[in-house]
Amino acid sequence: MTAVSSTVPSRRGEWARRLRGGASAAWFPYLLVAPLVLILWGYVVQPMLATFAESVSDDGTANYTQFLTSSGVARTSLITSLVISAASVLLCGVVGVAMAFLLKRFSFAGRRLIEAFILVPAALPPLIGAISFQLLYSEIGILPRGLQQLLGTAQPVLAFDGIAGVLVVHTFTMYPFFYLAASAALAGFDPSIEEAAYNLGAGRIRVWRTVLLPMLTPALVSASLLVFMTSLASYTAPLLFGVDQTMTMQIYINRTNGDLPMASTYAAVLGLVSIAFLLLMRWYEGRRSYLSQSKGVSAQRREIANPIGRWLAPVASVLAALVLLAPVATIALVAFSADGSWTTEVIPSAYTMDNFVTIFSEPRAFEPILNSLKMSVLATAGCVVVGVLIAYAVRRLKFVGRSLLDVGVMIAWALPGTVVAINLISAFSTGNGFSFGQALIGTFWILPLAYFVRFLPLVFRASSASLALIDPSLEEAARNLGASWWRAFLSITVRLMLPGVIVGALLAFVHGVGEFVASVLIYTSSTTPISVAINNRMYSFEIGTAAAYGMLQVVLIFVVMWFSGRLEGGGRAASRGAEQWTN
């Protein structure tokens, strides 16, 4: 008995020493990574395979041959989606890069006014952005009807519809991708390189082609990727502007008509195109090196020399600010209009507070807000736990297949919302091991799962970027002082990562509250989120109530963004405390 009792504590001590070794043990990375791989396989990869299996379940590959026929809806939808995405990249690039050059290279009256509002479009949820443009610029919009009344024409003037309307929405809501990327690149650009090119006799076009464009290439490629992927996944703009023959619309139409195999075919093709484009752009971005070898200072803004330009600058700045604020102002105006009061008038004729009173006083009207908040909180919590651990595994641990883990998250980011919804429908219409034997379609849990899959990459990328700036020796020092891996990870690494994790979590939460594309395919009457409630109210001609929901979304986004700024300050304080803990 004595020998046995002395052996048990010895074995326990040995296991305790192994656990304290943590990341230094050869088996530790696989212990941490195994559940993460299962999560990505069960909720990202396996649903994709289920969608492909569903697409060939009836007629084999017959559905896919429709993409090869010259007159088929499938091929037309694919081409239309690709053309819209390419045109969106071109238009957003022109607007975004031009605005970046204007605001970062020149100083003029009104510049700060434009800078204050230039990112307002990025704060609009996709559905609200598309609705605001429909209420502003479509045939029923304020501007075309106002011009019609002013000019006395029989039809609305300058009304956007069809593909043109979709491109206007995409350009306005997505140009911030190019603006932010180009602004960051210009801020770090060494002006001495450009000056040297001019001194050597190069003209403006050659300097742009051989100096500025190569230095901007990584930023332009990154922004092009974001705009192309977002445009390809766009559903709300084609829906509201009547463009039925796009990939996302055909997924919705076939799903609504009960043709799940054909909807799965569209989803599989769209997912394949999205992933292929992502891989192509990543390859192109890494094909050449664009690092500057000079150590100059950043460029100074130049005054506008032309007298006419100096006079026009403040006028143009005010007009630009009005254009940027017009969508939010339109939603705010319509939110106070009485339902049914806006028919043929330029602006609503009757105003009331009843829309907001109805939302907050009637349980059925308030339920979508509660649903969105609950589902977004659950999804964000899952994104934080899994995203932080995957970021740590990819950045800090060495194990076979590390790049595949990164690719798994990348695939989740590349998939459009409609594809994610169809994948989950195909995978969880019946019970399996990843749903604990329960069918998730038609339940509350399918929506948080969709949000988790869609927005996990936001937390992962933000956490990974923060982790890249943290010296690994801080965590190693804590473990050398006797802390277990778990304690060192939580008290040092996580605290130092906190600002990035918070930013990623808040982005995931805000996107979840505004999510519409996947939600509209998998919601039920008891799980209706706020975005679907907005869409349903619009189709019931309750435009005032729909706009009131939208205004609440916009206000929530601005509140969350303000709160994130305050929390980032707290995160920096926590980082300083963590560094002091190791000293």
Side-chain angles (χ1 to χ4, degrees), residues 67-259:
F67 287 92
L68 303 177
T69 58
S70 59
S71 59
V73 174
R75 183 176 179 179
T76 302
S77 299
L78 177 59
I79 293 174
T80 302
S81 294
L82 293 175
V83 169
I84 289 175
S85 298
S88 298
V89 170
L90 179 62
L91 292 172
C92 292
V94 170
V95 174
V97 174
M99 293 299 290
F101 265 92
L102 180 65
L103 297 179
K104 301 302 178 183
R105 286 296 187 94
F106 297 96
S107 179
F108 54 90
R111 178 180 60 83
R112 293 187 181 276
L113 180 65
I114 299 178
E115 286 184 328
F117 300 118
I118 195 167
L119 295 181
V120 167
L124 293 175
L127 179 62
I128 297 304
I131 289 176
S132 67
F133 268 81
Q134 184 186 39
L135 298 178
L136 267 173
Y137 302 118
S138 70
E139 290 186 354
I140 64 170
I142 294 174
L143 181 62
R145 283 183 175 181
L147 292 175
Q148 177 188 9
Q149 188 177 50
L150 180 65
L151 301 176
T153 60
Q155 299 295 329
V157 180
L158 295 178
F160 290 98
D161 199 12
I163 292 178
V166 172
L167 290 177
V168 168
V169 174
H170 286 183
T171 302
F172 184 85
T173 57
M174 299 178 195
Y175 81 82
F177 292 133
F178 274 96
Y179 170 76
L180 290 172
S183 295
L186 289 172
F189 181 70
D190 185 354
S192 65
I193 302 176
E194 187 179 355
E195 294 170 3
Y198 284 124
N199 292 335
L200 291 173
R204 290 186 179 274
I205 295 178
R206 187 174 182 184
V207 169
W208 168 260
R209 182 175 58 85
T210 60
V211 178
L212 292 175
L213 186 59
M215 293 301 296
L216 286 173
T217 294
L220 296 180
V221 169
S222 175
S224 298
L225 171 63
L226 288 170
V227 172
F228 188 92
M229 302 292 289
T230 307
S231 301
L232 195 62
S234 176
Y235 169 73
T236 52
L239 173 69
L240 295 177
F241 285 89
V243 183
D244 293 337
Q245 292 192 359
T246 65
M247 295 293 286
T248 52
M249 284 297 296
Q250 288 301 312
I251 290 173
Y252 175 78
I253 291 170
N254 282 277
R255 163 61 177 161
T256 304
N257 292 337
D259 191 354

Side-chain angles (χ1 to χ4, degrees), residues 489-499 571 573-578 581:
F489 174 72
L490 291 178
S491 60
I492 302 298
T493 306
V494 171
R495 290 180 69 183
L496 292 173
M497 292 172 61
L498 197 58
S575 298
R576 289 192 294 269
W581 189 88

